[in-house]
Amino acid sequence: MSVQNPLPTPILVHMAGALNVPLRGMASVIELLDEGGTVPFIARYRKEATGNLDEVQIRGIEEKLAYFRELEQRRAAVLASVEEQGKLTPELRARIEATLEKGELEDLYLPYKPKRRTKATIAREKGLEPLAIYLWQQAPGEMGLNDLAATFVSAEKGVASIDEALEGARHIVAEMISETADYRKGLRAMMHDEGVVVSRKSQDAVDEQEKFKMYYDYREPAAKIPSHRMLAIRRGESENVLYFTIELEPERPVMWLKSQILRETGDWTPQLELAIEDCWQRMLNSSIQTEVRLELKKRSDAEAIRVFKENLEICCCRRLPGRSAC
């Protein structure tokens, strides 16, 4: 069996630290896995090579190996795409090469992905990007905002008024905010740490045996919800009985974004505030919710598998002759 491309040394060191296993033993496990060895086989018959790593540790290595190989493959594709566009700066390359998270990699790539036609795209086609840059830079120019916006009014380009010019500029700013990796990372952490899973009964839903009754109007912090309750809510959603959202205090993400973006007060400030509010409500809220929902799904699935495995091992051990427990 052919051996796959090796992972970079910094990632191997990170994996060993995250899993709390010796680097040499982990490297041996990876080699054995690449040669076609199964986790039970390696745990039972290759103890000398692995330094007596048990099946749980080896399975953890297998999972991390798959994750980081996928990450490396995606990283290479992202670097090639951005470089092909002529936009790969040394700073961006360094950030892309340094990240150890798939989500962060996608956040960094977001501004360079091929885009569908958006409100911001249309505004750029109307020549409004310089006006958006003026808002974003928050520095006084030679003329005030209204006078500057008036220079972008053009019947030929479809900008009928100063208000339309400012609205288009805000759409561009909103997209810039939504594509900033650091803002997305901060909001994702906020929604995970402070968000509340809220489930409700779907309108006209049929739940004859009332299996999901306790979740008809249910709230629990996303960071603390146990896997069995998260699985039950998801199952209720898949059966069209429930729907759930992850809610934050309405002003919390908007105020955080303003604290990150607003630097100097000027005639641009009200426009930036409107762009921030629009960005959260129209773009980031649903997108970040989707990402956190996926994270909660992975967490609850992993916990369910762990509990099932432990119960299965206890059951099997109790059935062994002369053994009441392992």
Side-chain angles (χ1 to χ4, degrees):
M1 181 174 291
S2 62
V3 178
Q4 297 193 45
N5 291 335
L7 291 172
T9 299
I11 288 183
L12 293 173
V13 172
H14 170 79
M15 285 174 56
L19 295 168
N20 194 26
V21 297
L23 183 59
R24 180 175 295 180
M26 187 186 73
S28 296
V29 169
I30 292 173
E31 184 177 351
L32 291 164
L33 288 169
D34 283 345
E35 291 173 356
T38 65
V39 172
F41 176 84
I42 295 170
R44 181 172 297 180
Y45 299 112
R46 294 294 182 266
K47 292 182 180 294
E48 184 176 341
T50 68
N52 289 315
L53 295 179
D54 62 30
E55 188 169 335
V56 173
Q57 292 171 308
I58 294 169
R59 196 167 299 282
I61 293 171
E62 182 184 46
E63 291 171 357
K64 288 286 187 184
L65 180 65
Y67 178 91
F68 282 110
R69 279 184 168 158
E70 288 175 5
L71 176 66
E72 286 301 288
Q73 186 175 12
R74 180 61 176 158
R75 192 197 313 274
V78 166
L79 285 168
S81 174
V82 181
E83 188 168 31
E84 187 177 342
Q85 297 173 46
K87 298 177 180 178
L88 188 60
T89 64
E91 294 77 14
L92 180 58
R93 177 186 285 277
R95 290 197 68 181
I96 291 173
E97 290 180 343
T99 186
L100 297 172
E101 299 289 338
K102 290 180 181 178
E104 184 177 2
L105 177 62
E106 295 303 328
D107 287 347
L108 291 169
Y109 182 45
L110 191 58
Y112 309 97
K113 273 186 176 179
K115 290 183 175 62
R116 59 182 175 82
R117 190 172 170 81
T118 65
K119 290 182 177 182
T121 306
I122 295 169
R124 287 188 176 94
E125 291 171 355
K126 292 180 179 180
L128 295 172
E129 189 161 27
L131 183 57
I133 297 299
Y134 171 82
L135 298 177
W136 189 249
Q137 289 178 337
Q138 303 175 60
E142 294 180 358
M143 59 180 73
L145 177 59
N146 279 350
D147 291 338
L148 178 63
T151 66
F152 291 88
V153 175
S154 167
E156 181 182 351
K157 292 185 176 180
V159 183
S161 65
I162 290 174
D163 286 343
E164 284 192 17
L166 290 171
E167 181 182 20
R170 292 198 303 271
H171 290 324
I172 295 172
V173 171
E175 187 172 271
M176 291 166 64
I177 296 169
S178 76
E179 293 180 347
T180 301
D182 290 340
Y183 299 154
R184 297 183 70 91
K185 183 177 181 179
L187 290 168
R188 193 160 50 240
M190 181 189 297
M191 185 165 286
H192 178 272
D193 295 343
E194 303 177 26
V196 177
V197 174
V198 179
S199 70
R200 295 185 175 90
K201 187 179 181 182
S202 300
Q203 189 174 7
D204 301 324
V206 177
D207 185 18
E208 293 179 354
Q209 298 178 356
E210 296 189 332
K211 292 186 297 183
F212 304 105
K213 185 175 182 180
M214 73 171 286
Y215 301 110
Y216 288 175
D217 188 8
Y218 186 79
R219 304 173 63 88
E220 186 163 3
K224 297 181 179 179
I225 188 166
S227 63
H228 66 277
R229 287 205 279 273
M230 193 68 248
L231 288 168
I233 290 171
R234 286 174 44 216
R235 188 163 59 250
E237 186 178 58
S238 69
E239 295 182 19
N240 299 316
V241 175
L242 305 174
Y243 68 93
F244 83 91
T245 56
I246 305 172
E247 296 183 357
L248 277 169
E249 288 292 330
E251 292 301 316
R252 179 78 172 92
V254 172
M255 292 304 296
W256 182 81
L257 282 170
K258 288 180 180 179
S259 74
Q260 300 298 304
I261 294 168
L262 300 178
R263 299 187 306 275
E264 301 292 336
T265 301
D267 54 8
W268 53 78
T269 303
Q271 298 298 320
L272 281 176
E273 290 178 334
L274 288 172
I276 291 168
E277 291 165 5
D278 174 52
C279 176
W280 172 251
Q281 294 167 5
R282 182 169 58 88
M283 305 170 79
L284 283 175
N285 188 6
S286 60
S287 175
I288 299 297
Q289 269 206 59
T290 299
E291 293 175 18
V292 176
R293 282 170 64 108
L294 180 59
E295 186 177 339
L296 291 177
K297 176 184 182 300
K298 290 179 179 177
R299 189 180 76 188
S300 58
D301 285 348
E303 178 64 13
I305 291 169
R306 184 189 67 78
V307 171
F308 176 78
K309 180 176 179 293
E310 288 179 356
N311 291 339
L312 183 62
E313 287 174 348
I314 291 171
C315 179
C316 290
C317 287
R318 285 177 177 171
R319 290 181 179 180
L320 289 174
R323 301 280 297 276
S324 60
C326 292

